[in-house]
Amino acid sequence: MTAGSLVRSVASALCVALCVVVWAASADAALPDGRMYERVSSLEQYGGEVYAPGGLDDFSIELTTSRTDLPFQASADGSKVAYLGSPSPGGNELSGEKGGNEYLASRQSDGWVQSDIAPVDHPGAVFQAFSSDLSEGFLDSVEPLSSTAPGFGEEIPRQGSYDILYRTNTAGSEYAPMITGMPPYRSKESFQTAGNAERVFIKDSKHQNRTLAFIGASADSSHVLFMANDALTGASEGRPAAEGGAGSTFEKADNLYESVDGQMQLVNILPNNTTHVNATFGGGRIPLLRYSHVISSDGSRVFWTDLATGHIYVRENGTSTVEVSPAGKYQTASSNGSVAFYTNGDLYEYELEGAKTTDLTPGVPVESVVGASVDGKYVYYVTASGEFKLWHEGVTTTIMTTNVTLGEVTPDGHSVVFSDEPIERIATSPSQDPVRVYDASTNVLYCASCTAGGTKGSLPETNRGNVYQPRWMSSDGSRVFFATSEALVPSDTNGLYDVYEWERPGAGSCPAGEGEGCVYILSEGTGSQDSYFVDASESGDDVFIVSRSKLGGADEDELMDLYDVTTHGLTQPAPLTCTGSGCQGVPLSAPIFATPASVTFEGVGNFAAVAKESKAKPKPKKKPKQKKPKKKSKGKKKGKSKARKSARKANGHGRSGSKGGRS
């Protein structure tokens, strides 16, 4: 072991044993639901800090903060959270955007404990996703992490090995490669992910586009999906097309694979037991849903599309294939895979039992599906003419006319949160727009980000380069979390991004009589830099944010830290001794109540009447002068600014720096 390896190993062990963070601050009466701040990231993080998750408008980003699109994720119960931060000793703090090490924090009885879960001395190893309880992770690496990985021992690892997808327990004690045999038709330079054109690849002179993409897994992670552009299963069962051929034929050949309890099998097999290369899971990565329910919760059904013919299929139990449709684009499915939805002009439902196909929107072309309930009985979609609608048991409801850019549906389908964009939007306008919540049970549309202080907000796209989407809403739809640079409450005075919570009337701290709900600020609102939303637990009791503000008495540095704004924190230690108002900052204000909105309907249903919209609007409070944001270039709504491009170029894009964060 090298001296650097020894130092890093000892440091990591000490961190696991000693990096316990004490509870940070007493409950603040101005925070909703008795929430309090718990500092999650380490107080002894080697002088480093937490990176900012990607997703806010580029014109607002402070270039002094390292940003990353690598995964941040909270466990469903909020007891664990994975995040990116400055590398431990032996790493490269100058890695910049997309860099850093992956950390895992767990709540213990006396505080949060952190561990650096990035593989020791392997800068090419990058986490792509985690199981829902964060007990397992999926990462790819250009350096062998196991003696069974192909290419092991043949070359100096950092000078070229196959990029392999691994499965690991987050304790970091074992790494199981998804591929163990040598890819027969691809060199290390040409072996890569398949069919995922929208994925942002990290390039350098040694590793060209060689990311093996994790697509999804069953609920228990026993079934894992991935794609590759080679024949990894060997010739068998009369399917020669997927098992090799002339190089020119297979330069862009895409195959789909499923690892079942460690055994790999081919997915893109046709009903007649032959196969076509050039396939993708589901309908490919579509903007709103990514790879939505392409695998059932028990792993028995996998949906895929033959890109050569456009046919949509489902592979069942790894033994048979059924055609869903000869044309169209797969959108999503119920969690058990019994019902699938696809667009082919109109929106169609396919029921596997009985092979029944139903046109849900006769004569009404559909652009995309925003989401569906786990049982498939509620489906939210956007028509080609720009109307946002709900289909539920034969009844169609028009929610509003808008372009939906992001959305999340509760498991029961009764609520949806979405960020809307007016039809008349011009390309150079900022992308902050009202965050809205629709409650199908009461048929009410709320504007979660509308107050006397402003109307704009955004659903932060944490992990936008990965499969996992953060939770913007509690599972019952009563709480929504978003970010905005507008001052929606009087105590928000910094003109920067802060994290907010909206609560439905009668939920949590919001009085039942407040018809439009309540808006609270969860970050400080007076800090010198943007605060970032990371994720929330399913219940919404735990909300994870990244901020440079000192949100607790134990926080004495100026570093970016990860906090849990929690409803069930332990009794806090006494605050640090200080004088004047320096300890508390600007007091948080009472909630601001959102303004009303309206809903129109189509078809017959038993929904409640819509509350009338109030015509009187409160006069907005005069805001302090703020520095105007840079306008984005025309036609590139989310493009990077020249300053950020220069910063990225200066920091480099190599795996050993940009992705792995280690020297």
Side-chain angles (χ1 to χ4, degrees), residues 509-527:
S509 296
C510 189
E514 299 301 333
E516 299 308 321
C518 306
V519 177
Y520 305 88
I521 188 170
L522 298 185
S523 52
E524 188 179 43
T526 59

Side-chain angles (χ1 to χ4, degrees), residues 200-221:
V200 178
F201 293 107
I202 305 301
K203 296 182 180 181
D204 64 16
S205 60
K206 297 178 181 178
H207 311 116
Q208 295 292 326
N209 289 10
R210 296 194 290 123
T211 301
L212 195 66
F214 167 88
I215 301 301
S218 57
D220 63 0
S221 299

Side-chain angles (χ1 to χ4, degrees), residues 550-568:
K550 299 177 181 179
L551 299 181
D555 190 350
E556 299 178 308
D557 56 43
E558 302 294 335
L559 301 177
M560 294 286 282
D561 291 305
L562 177 65
Y563 286 92
D564 180 6
V565 192
T566 180
T567 64
H568 48 261

Side-chain angles (χ1 to χ4, degrees), residues 343-504:
T343 51
N344 187 18
D346 298 351
L347 174 63
Y348 292 87
E349 175 190 67
Y350 177 81
E351 297 179 67
L352 271 68
E353 184 175 351
K356 180 183 177 181
T357 300
T358 305
D359 187 346
L360 303 184
T361 62
V364 180
V366 171
E367 182 68 25
S368 61
V369 171
V370 176
S373 58
V374 295
D375 60 7
K377 293 184 178 180
Y378 291 78
V379 185
Y380 294 85
Y381 61 95
V382 180
T383 68
S385 61
E387 291 183 301
F388 184 37
K389 297 189 176 188
L390 163 66
W391 178 91
H392 172 54
E393 295 184 340
V395 178
T396 300
T397 304
T398 299
I399 299 172
M400 67 182 298
T401 299
T402 184
N403 286 332
V404 176
T405 56
L406 290 170
E408 179 186 359
V409 177
T410 54
D412 62 9
H414 292 179
S415 297
V416 59
V417 60
F418 60 99
S419 181
D420 71 287
E421 181 181 53
I423 300 298
E424 65 273 12
R425 161 71 63 206
I426 59 175
T428 55
S429 297
S431 62
Q432 285 194 89
D433 295 290
V435 173
R436 303 186 190 274
V437 184
Y438 174 67
D439 184 350
S441 300
T442 58
N443 211 21
V444 175
L445 177 65
Y446 302 94
C447 182
S449 61
C450 295
T451 73
T455 62
K456 295 179 179 179
S458 63
L459 301 174
E461 292 183 77
T462 310
N463 310 332
R464 58 175 146 184
N466 300 280
V467 174
Y468 178 76
Q469 176 179 283
R471 302 179 187 92
W472 299 309
M473 179 169 52
S474 59
S475 59
D476 64 358
S478 65
R479 296 165 170 170
V480 166
F481 312 104
F482 62 95
T484 181
S485 60
E486 289 201 358
L488 301 186
V489 298
S491 63
D492 188 350
T493 60
N494 58 7
L496 299 172
Y497 271 91
D498 282 288
V499 181
Y500 280 83
E501 175 181 4
W502 172 87
E503 289 189 339
R504 181 186 296 162

Side-chain angles (χ1 to χ4, degrees), residues 124-143:
V126 179
F127 278 90
Q128 294 189 19
F130 297 91
S131 60
S132 61
D133 62 359
L134 300 189
S135 64
E136 291 189 292
F138 302 92
L139 69 162
D140 70 289
S141 176
V142 294
E143 301 166 327

Side-chain angles (χ1 to χ4, degrees), residues 276-301:
H276 284 165
V277 291
N278 196 22
T280 187
F281 286 106
R285 179 172 175 161
I286 56 181
L288 293 177
L289 296 177
R290 302 184 182 181
Y291 293 97
S292 177
H293 291 290
V294 296
I295 183 170
S296 60
S297 56
D298 65 358
S300 64
R301 291 164 173 155

Side-chain angles (χ1 to χ4, degrees), residues 161-162 183-192 210 229-230:
S161 294
Y162 282 95
Y185 301 100
R186 288 287 172 266
S187 66
K188 290 177 286 293
E189 290 70 29
S190 62
F191 182 69
Q192 61 185 13
R210 296 194 290 123
N229 65 344
D230 208 331

